[in-house]
Amino acid sequence: MPISDIKTLLQNAGIVGAGGAGFPAYAKLAEGADLICVNCAECEPLLYTDYMLLQEEITKIVEGIKVILSETGIKQALLVIKAHRAAMLSYSDGQALAENVAVKIIPNVYPIGDEIGLIYEATGRRVAPGALPISVGVIVFNAETVYNIYNAITGNSPVTEKWVTVGGDLPDRYVVKVPLGMRVSELFDTLGIEVGEHQVLFDGGPSMGKIKNYRNAIITKTTKGVLVLPDETRCVKNKQVAMDDMLRRAASACCGCVRCTEMCPRRALGYPIEPHKMIRASLNSAVSDHPELIKTASLCCSCGVCAEVCCQDISPKDVILHLKGILAKTKTRFEPDGKEWPVSPERPYRMISSERWEDMIGVRKYDVVPRFIPKKLKAERVEILTSQHIGAPASPVVKVGDKVKAGQLVAECGKGLSVAQHASISGTVVSVDPAKIVIEA
């Protein structure tokens, strides 16, 4: 199958990065790659989705990798996993899973799931600041993304379900398969979970996830987990500081210790990012007075290490997110200038262990291996968002009153970078607008 046909197939199947921002998978298939890295690092604490996929569906994942290699001509693939999860699955470094497919074990550190750090740790190849992984011949796919690619290529099946970790401060933790667009409240009712008055819901991990209202939150293609945590947990309290308050704190309380820059994982890889200088820059004149400094905000992976090592309870990450918003409005970003930025020789000594990170953000006691529920859960109502990915939203092709079947196209690809969306349950379309399609069973 020509690579152009594969890309069309993946686009029409609605496959996006299942472990991060939702970048369309088809757009990653570019010329010049000689290696696929399957990201099973599960960067965030408390998430066991990739672990359970490897435990339950390793055959399909390996077959998916083999299909990608054979259809694209890419030479080899590495299944990249942290040491502690590899031990739980009885994997060894270099273990062959198939011809040209091997296990690569990386350290138990945070945030090693970041693809720039993962590529360097797994291969020794360094993606230059502002460049993409393809610049060093690597394509990174999440384990669930590869699982979805296998289903699309071998069975012509679009993405209609999501594997999700349900964890945190709960009596029982689970990994479940649910229809896309299922309401978290319905999921919790099915599992007998109640969210207490002093608990909050995270969509994603406790470090980089977002706090959501569980009554109207839904499962999307990028939902790796839904975690319930007490509102007194450090990671929760940090996320509840208003941006304006954080900007004022940054402008007045920084003591100039530079720990945020010294501990920045991207900085350790030689990236020209200096959070302490961005805090000191006047926010009112940041773009006009410090344009080159502010552009480096686009190099931040938002891991939050800088916030946890700050002795003044400042979150440089939040300041950088504010600056990223300015860059987005002005459509500017960091552009490589050809200057060499070597990897820091101190990097190995400044990496934070996964266990230590859990202690720092206050979630260590909730790290319990969940129970897998093999039967896909049912939903009475789903909300299919037209934008569950980076790029242009999909365009609805159904109307209110239409009867649809699970797997049926309900929104076609938009113009430019985009993917299609499909019904995740059979039922009746009860609402359609540019942002979402609601289906009731």
Side-chain angles (χ1 to χ4, degrees):
M1 183 186 300
I3 193 167
S4 59
D5 290 350
I6 297 175
K7 293 176 74 169
T8 299
L9 177 64
L10 302 189
Q11 184 180 24
N12 290 334
I15 301 175
V16 304
F23 193 81
Y26 78 92
K28 287 190 174 184
L29 293 176
E31 299 294 337
D34 64 2
L35 176 67
I36 297 286
C37 280
V38 182
N39 186 350
C40 309
E42 210 118 47
C43 181
E44 285 266 35
L46 311 186
L47 299 182
Y48 282 85
T49 308
D50 291 344
Y51 165 80
M52 208 61 73
L53 268 163
L54 294 180
Q55 179 173 283
E56 302 294 328
E57 296 287 5
I58 186 60
T59 300
K60 288 184 179 180
I61 290 172
V62 171
E63 288 301 314
I65 297 170
K66 289 166 62 178
V67 167
I68 297 170
L69 295 183
S70 64
E71 296 291 350
T72 62
I74 296 172
K75 296 177 181 179
Q76 67 176 126
L78 296 175
L79 190 142
V80 187
I81 185 170
K82 286 183 180 178
H84 64 315
R85 296 287 173 88
M88 293 166 66
L89 293 165
S90 299
Y91 289 158
S92 57
D93 193 43
Q95 177 182 343
L97 300 176
E99 185 178 1
N100 299 322
V101 182
V103 173
K104 178 60 184 177
I105 297 178
I106 57 176
N108 298 328
V109 297
Y110 178 83
I112 206 66
D114 166 42
E115 66 178 8
I116 304 301
L118 180 132
I119 290 170
Y120 181 77
E121 204 63 47
T123 70
R125 305 181 192 183
R126 180 175 166 278
V127 180
L132 297 173
I134 192 65
S135 66
V136 293
V138 180
I139 295 174
V140 180
F141 286 131
N142 174 259
E144 190 175 0
T145 305
V146 172
Y147 173 78
N148 290 333
I149 290 173
Y150 168 83
N151 290 332
I153 294 179
T154 62
N156 199 30
S157 301
V159 181
T160 61
E161 69 176 25
K162 191 74 181 71
W163 290 58
V164 180
T165 298
V166 181
D169 182 23
L170 299 173
D172 297 294
R173 290 86 171 176
Y174 308 91
V175 170
V176 295
K177 296 184 290 183
V178 302
L180 278 172
M182 185 178 190
R183 293 170 296 177
V184 172
S185 59
E186 185 177 0
L187 169 59
F188 282 8
D189 287 344
T190 301
L191 296 175
I193 294 172
E194 294 184 6
V195 178
E197 181 182 355
H198 297 290
Q199 292 179 316
V200 300
L201 176 79
F202 272 83
D203 181 328
S207 310
M208 292 184 274
K210 295 181 178 180
I211 295 177
K212 296 286 185 71
N213 182 335
Y214 90 97
R215 292 181 179 83
N216 56 28
I218 63 171
I219 303 298
T220 72
K221 292 179 180 180
T222 59
T223 303
K224 208 66 184 172
V226 284
L227 307 177
V228 177
L229 292 171
D231 57 14
E232 286 298 310
T233 310
R234 179 169 173 81
C235 60
V236 176
K237 294 171 72 174
N238 286 350
K239 289 182 182 293
Q240 291 179 326
V241 178
M243 178 63 78
D244 287 346
D245 290 341
M246 183 57 69
L247 293 177
R248 283 193 291 270
R249 186 185 300 176
S252 61
C254 177
C255 65
C257 70
V258 308
R259 290 176 69 188
C260 54
T261 296
E262 290 178 344
M263 291 298 294
C264 173
R266 286 282 180 93
R267 176 72 177 181
L269 279 171
Y271 276 43
I273 180 170
E274 299 174 286
H276 72 284
K277 289 186 178 179
M278 283 187 264
I279 291 174
R280 293 173 184 174
S282 168
L283 293 173
N284 291 328
S285 60
V287 176
S288 59
D289 293 353
H290 310 279
E292 297 308 312
L293 172 65
I294 303 310
K295 284 180 183 178
T296 63
S298 64
L299 302 177
C300 172
C301 68
S302 298
C303 67
V305 167
C306 55
E308 293 304 324
V309 301
C310 179
C311 60
Q312 300 290 350
D313 269 344
I314 298 169
S315 175
K317 180 190 75 171
D318 289 346
V319 176
I320 292 171
L321 283 173
H322 175 79
L323 297 175
K324 281 183 176 181
I326 295 175
L327 294 178
K329 290 179 180 178
T330 57
K331 296 183 178 180
T332 56
R333 57 178 291 121
F334 177 83
E335 296 178 1
D337 57 7
K339 184 178 179 180
E340 287 294 323
W341 294 85
V343 175
S344 170
E346 297 179 355
R347 179 177 178 270
Y349 312 108
R350 290 187 174 170
M351 294 194 292
I352 302 172
S353 74
S354 300
E355 293 78 11
R356 175 61 179 145
W357 181 252
E358 288 183 335
D359 285 335
M360 291 171 71
I361 64 174
V363 300
R364 179 78 173 274
K365 61 184 176 182
Y366 307 120
D367 191 352
V368 178
V369 179
R371 178 164 64 91
F372 177 60
I373 299 178
K375 187 176 180 179
K376 182 178 177 179
L377 302 186
K378 294 182 179 180
E380 292 300 316
R381 174 188 172 99
V382 295
E383 298 178 17
I384 308 299
L385 302 186
T386 58
S387 183
Q388 302 180 55
H389 55 274
I390 290 176
S395 301
V397 295
V398 292
K399 62 183 184 300
V400 173
D402 284 353
K403 302 291 184 180
V404 296
K405 293 183 177 181
Q408 180 179 329
L409 179 74
V410 294
E412 62 186 7
C413 304
K415 294 182 179 180
L417 186 68
S418 186
V419 297
Q421 309 293 347
H422 303 80
S424 59
I425 62 172
S426 297
T428 304
V429 177
V430 298
S431 176
V432 178
D433 62 47
K436 67 183 177 183
I437 299 157
V438 181
I439 303 168
E440 291 186 352

